[in-house]
Amino acid sequence: MNRRRFLAAGLASLGAGCAPAGTRTASAPGRVALADVRRLVVERADPIAGRCRYVADLGGQQVAQPILVARRGEVFDAVIDNRLPQPTTVHFHGLTLSEAQDGAGFAPIPPGESKRVRFELLNRSGLYWFHPHPMGFTAEQVHAGLAGLLVVSDEEDQALDVALALAPGNRLALAIADVRVTAGAIRAYAPDADDCLHGWLGNRALANGRLDARWEVAPGWVRLQILNACNARGLLLAFRDGEALVPFHLLGTDGGLLAAPQALERVFLYSGERVDIAIAPGGRPALDAVSLEFDPRHHALGAPPSHRHPQRERYAPLAGESVCAGTGGAAADRVPDGAELPLFALRVQGKPASGVPPLPPRLSALADAAAAPDATTRRMRLDFDERSGFLIDATPYQPDETGFELQRGAREVWEIKNSPISMPHAMHLHGFRFRVLRRQGTYGAARALATGSGGRLATDLGLKDTVVLWPNETVWLGVDFTLPAQTPFGGAQRYMFHCHNLEHEDGMMMRNVRVL
Ligand code: C2O
Ligand code: CU
Ligand code: CU
């Protein structure tokens, strides 16, 4: 196969991204070019379990639960139609956007109404995603199936596919979520107090909305871009061939490709985080993706105050009972956080290849993290308290708070400390990316997986928008509030910094970030 045919093969499997300038392709099933979406409908698919879906309207053709694909520089210009019985928003997690485009909870779309959103895609290649963010309803709506993938491509991404000589179908974008399944049916969202404390945990994994999902791949490299779309579950992702773990390479994280691939056997992936992986099945007929057993360090006891959002009382749940007073369900319906959980499977079809091409030693021009010498340090502490709930800096969130205020272009070091009597928190910043500079106080089993300087995990080596802190840990982040010169928006913009355990997010573990 010549270089051109490799390119075409990669294109066929991803469905877009590598098309020559001026054309857009999204021919693979479920793939939709971001720029072709005229309307994004948010609707309930089944009122009994309250499952919901996104439907992309391309002006004639409708695609349910689309995977959006785009190249940097393309424009999204669509009307978002809220057909849910609750307010919603569409937040584009990881993208560089203004407050009005970001879809955070500040201006939800009321039920039955719509809103036009237009933006230019300014980000590097990588796996991004979109999901609802209305205050008090985020956990319920994401759990209902509202988590869409957005695969962004650029020259670096395209060069990598060529180097891997990907066969058609060997590049996949996957969203993993967990649900409670009893008697073959997904239970509606009805968290009890314990679920509101630790987060809603299911007993089965969905991959792109399917239970027991499997994909057929050809021999050779397989490139997987994987999102943890679970409400609360941390994953320790690995690939099993029977009892043996099959090594793989970490190519990228939240904000795109790493400078160089990292050889691993397991990788932590918390709610909201993404990994980009290359794995070669070799002669194996199948690989099982699993979350391995680990100690998730849930040390907090007690009950959080119930989610008393004025909004929650005005609208009915999507199905089932009220939030935080729900019956939750039998303990057997939850697999504890950190327990082993099967995720999906790959079946290898075809004659095993004689080998795979070597991975490129450099994936991108990304430099290793360094704090700007002029960066100011902002310290914050994560806590939980039975009276006020989840706290950042001992202060409960107020939607109209000022929060942190800083100048566009500022570079700061965020020193974040998680309390020892706590649980893991996956902290996420909207609109900007950061570098993980250092970890301290990491518990032994996680620290043993550190591969970078400063106790950093392999996933800490790239550009991040979400980072996990286990109890007793302190992380130092280098946050860069520089916006690209051509950014088509000015003026003060509000963003959110919050825990991506969605029960914690709805529990108001959040701070506003105002960029002037
Ligand atoms: Cu993915 Cu503020 O969220
Ligand atoms: Cu986000
Ligand atoms: Cu949290």
Side-chain angles (χ1 to χ4, degrees), residues 99 106 376-382 391-408 410 412-417 427-430 432 434 477 479 481 492-499 509-516:
E99 174 180 334
F106 299 119
T376 46
T377 298
R378 197 181 285 276
R379 294 187 175 81
M380 55 191 99
R381 192 184 164 90
L382 312 179
L391 299 168
I392 298 175
D393 278 344
T395 318
Y397 177 69
Q398 296 292 332
D400 57 0
E401 69 178 26
T402 302
F404 304 137
E405 224 173 22
L406 45 96
Q407 297 293 327
R408 191 190 262 235
E412 298 196 337
V413 173
W414 285 15
E415 181 188 308
I416 312 173
K417 178 157 183 46
M427 301 306 295
H428 165 55
L429 174 66
H430 287 206
F432 298 88
F434 50 78
L477 307 178
V479 197
F481 289 94
Q493 310 285 336
R494 271 177 312 168
Y495 298 95
M496 288 174 160
F497 177 64
H498 64 85
C499 181
M509 188 173 187
M510 182 130 64
R511 188 96 303 143
N512 288 343
V513 179
R514 194 152 178 266
V515 179
L516 303 172

Side-chain angles (χ1 to χ4, degrees), residues 21 34 93 105 124 144 158 173 181 224 304 372 455 460 462 468 474 515:
L34 178 83
H93 181 130
R124 297 173 84 209
Q158 208 174 307
V181 177
L224 303 170
D460 292 336
V468 64
T474 305
V515 179

Side-chain angles (χ1 to χ4, degrees), residues 197 382 390 423-427 498-505 509:
L197 178 64
L382 312 179
F390 298 100
M423 56 184 105
H425 295 295
M427 301 306 295
H498 64 85
C499 181
H500 221 289
N501 176 318
L502 297 179
E503 282 69 32
H504 297 179
E505 176 179 336
M509 188 173 187

Side-chain angles (χ1 to χ4, degrees), residues 30-157:
R31 310 278 164 155
V32 165
L34 178 83
D36 287 344
V37 181
R38 297 280 76 89
R39 208 166 260 282
L40 190 65
V41 179
V42 193
E43 65 178 28
R44 201 149 53 157
D46 118 60
I48 295 159
R51 306 301 295 167
C52 297
R53 65 182 176 195
Y54 288 116
V55 179
D57 187 330
L58 315 180
Q61 193 197 344
Q62 268 97 33
V63 180
Q65 297 294 65
I67 294 178
L68 301 181
V69 293
R71 276 186 75 90
R72 184 169 13 179
E74 287 183 357
V75 171
F76 176 78
D77 186 355
V79 171
I80 294 167
D81 244 335
N82 179 13
R83 298 193 189 151
L84 301 180
Q86 300 176 342
T88 197
T89 73
V90 177
H91 167 57
F92 291 87
H93 181 130
L95 296 191
T96 302
L97 297 169
S98 69
E99 174 180 334
Q101 303 158 329
D102 183 48
F106 299 119
I109 310 169
E113 296 190 19
S114 51
K115 178 181 183 173
R116 181 168 170 209
V117 175
R118 187 184 185 285
F119 62 81
E120 184 189 341
L121 198 109
L122 301 168
N123 297 72
R124 297 173 84 209
S125 59
L127 180 65
Y128 301 89
W129 63 300
F130 53 101
H131 64 80
H133 218 297
M135 284 177 212
F137 300 94
T138 300
E140 182 181 17
Q141 292 182 12
V142 174
H143 172 268
L146 295 174
L149 297 171
L150 166 58
V151 182
V152 177
S153 179
D154 61 11
E155 297 69 28
E156 285 180 345
D157 176 75

Side-chain angles (χ1 to χ4, degrees), residues 332-393:
D333 292 346
R334 313 170 207 185
V335 168
D337 195 17
E340 178 150 339
L341 189 72
L343 303 178
F344 62 90
L346 300 176
R347 301 265 167 267
V348 187
Q349 296 291 322
K351 261 209 295 349
S354 43
V356 289
L359 283 180
R362 302 283 308 162
L363 300 174
S364 85
L366 194 73
D368 193 23
D374 56 333
T376 46
T377 298
R378 197 181 285 276
R379 294 187 175 81
M380 55 191 99
R381 192 184 164 90
L382 312 179
D383 268 311
F384 167 73
D385 145 346
E386 268 200 275
R387 216 157 31 92
S388 9
F390 298 100
L391 299 168
I392 298 175
D393 278 344

